[in-house]
């Protein structure tokens, strides 16, 4: 099988209204791709006073380039009371060319009603997505009122292995 190696890290964030951030991430792939080896992701959360580098190591086996992977993320803020509030959702396409790539993943969050916005200012919390697949699909996202948040900065190195041998075109 052809292999896609993704090695890199989340190196930081900018433009968010808070400093005490942490990130959850996951990978969305098509049916032609299968994860062989996956590093820490959506189920493993790291909390830091500031956004610090977070390693990403993935090896995907694929039979075609159909459904090229997307990296999706949730950025959270932990306040002084230990409560976790959503700061933003975002996704980015994994580059299809080999080499090292600097990527900026823009994020957004649901705006909510004016009552929810007022409550969020004083109590925290705020609207969240019920289904995380809305982060990377445009299916029903057009119905949401959103507000732009900050950017997550990634550095990813891409290695394509055995693409020619197995006739996978990218």
């Amino acid at each position: 099988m052809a292999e896609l190696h993704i090695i890199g890290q989340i190196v930081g964030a900018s433009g968010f209204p808070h400093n005490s951030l942490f990130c959850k991430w996951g990978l969305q792939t098509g049916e032609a791709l299968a994860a062989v080896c996956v590093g820490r992701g959506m189920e493993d959360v790291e909390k830091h006073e500031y956004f610090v580098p977070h390693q990403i190591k993935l090896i995907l086996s694929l039979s075609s380039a159909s459904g090229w992977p997307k990296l999706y993320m949730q950025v959270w803020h932990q306040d002084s009371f230990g409560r976790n509030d959503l700061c933003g959702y975002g996704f980015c396409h994994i580059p299809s060319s080999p080499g090292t790539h600097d990527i900026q993943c823009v994020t957004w969050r649901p705006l909510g009603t004016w009552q929810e916005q007022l409550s969020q200012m004083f109590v925290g919390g705020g609207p969240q997505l019920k289904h995380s697949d809305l982060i990377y699909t445009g299916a029903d996202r057009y119905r949401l009122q959103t507000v732009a948040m900050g950017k997550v900065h990634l550095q990813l190195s891409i290695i394509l292995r055995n693409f020619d041998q197995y006739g996978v075109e990218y």
Side-chain angles (χ1 to χ4, degrees), residues 1-82:
M1 282 289 200
E3 294 179 359
L4 169 62
H5 296 251
I6 305 164
I7 304 161
Q9 61 184 343
I10 299 172
V11 294
S14 62
F16 287 96
H18 307 288
N19 286 333
S20 184
L21 301 172
F22 62 97
C23 185
K24 300 178 183 182
W25 63 271
L27 190 73
Q28 188 274 332
T29 64
E31 294 178 14
L33 285 89
V36 176
C37 176
V38 179
R40 299 180 308 195
M42 211 37 109
E43 66 283 341
D44 187 15
V45 179
E46 288 194 6
K47 297 177 184 173
H48 299 284
E49 184 60 31
Y50 296 98
F51 216 93
V52 298
H54 182 87
Q55 297 294 316
I56 297 174
K57 295 179 184 177
L58 304 163
I59 301 173
L60 303 172
S61 171
L62 56 140
S63 57
S64 80
S66 174
W68 197 259
K70 300 173 191 172
L71 190 65
Y72 63 95
M73 53 194 62
Q74 300 176 7
V75 179
W76 295 80
H77 160 69
Q78 188 171 63
D79 67 13
S80 58
F81 299 107

Side-chain angles (χ1 to χ4, degrees), residues 6-159:
I6 305 164
I7 304 161
Q9 61 184 343
I10 299 172
V11 294
S14 62
F16 287 96
H18 307 288
N19 286 333
S20 184
L21 301 172
F22 62 97
C23 185
K24 300 178 183 182
W25 63 271
L27 190 73
Q28 188 274 332
T29 64
E31 294 178 14
L33 285 89
V36 176
C37 176
V38 179
R40 299 180 308 195
M42 211 37 109
E43 66 283 341
D44 187 15
V45 179
E46 288 194 6
K47 297 177 184 173
H48 299 284
E49 184 60 31
Y50 296 98
F51 216 93
V52 298
H54 182 87
Q55 297 294 316
I56 297 174
K57 295 179 184 177
L58 304 163
I59 301 173
L60 303 172
S61 171
L62 56 140
S63 57
S64 80
S66 174
W68 197 259
K70 300 173 191 172
L71 190 65
Y72 63 95
M73 53 194 62
Q74 300 176 7
V75 179
W76 295 80
H77 160 69
Q78 188 171 63
D79 67 13
S80 58
F81 299 107
R83 298 176 299 197
N84 297 329
D85 290 333
L86 175 72
C87 276
Y89 298 108
F91 81 92
C92 57
H93 294 274
I94 300 296
S96 59
S97 60
T100 300
H101 305 270
D102 291 321
I103 300 168
Q104 293 185 15
C105 179
V106 295
T107 63
W108 54 272
R109 68 171 173 78
L111 188 56
T113 65
W114 69 269
Q115 293 98 337
E116 290 171 324
Q117 293 176 42
L118 188 62
S119 174
Q120 184 176 8
M121 285 176 43
F122 292 105
V123 189
Q128 298 177 20
L129 297 177
K130 289 183 182 178
H131 306 286
S132 63
D133 63 337
L134 287 178
I135 298 170
Y136 51 83
T137 63
D140 289 325
R141 198 168 68 206
Y142 70 92
R143 294 185 198 177
L144 296 175
Q145 286 188 321
T146 62
V147 61
M149 296 303 286
K151 296 178 183 177
V152 177
H153 305 281
L154 301 107
Q155 188 174 59
L156 300 177
S157 294
I158 306 298
I159 301 170

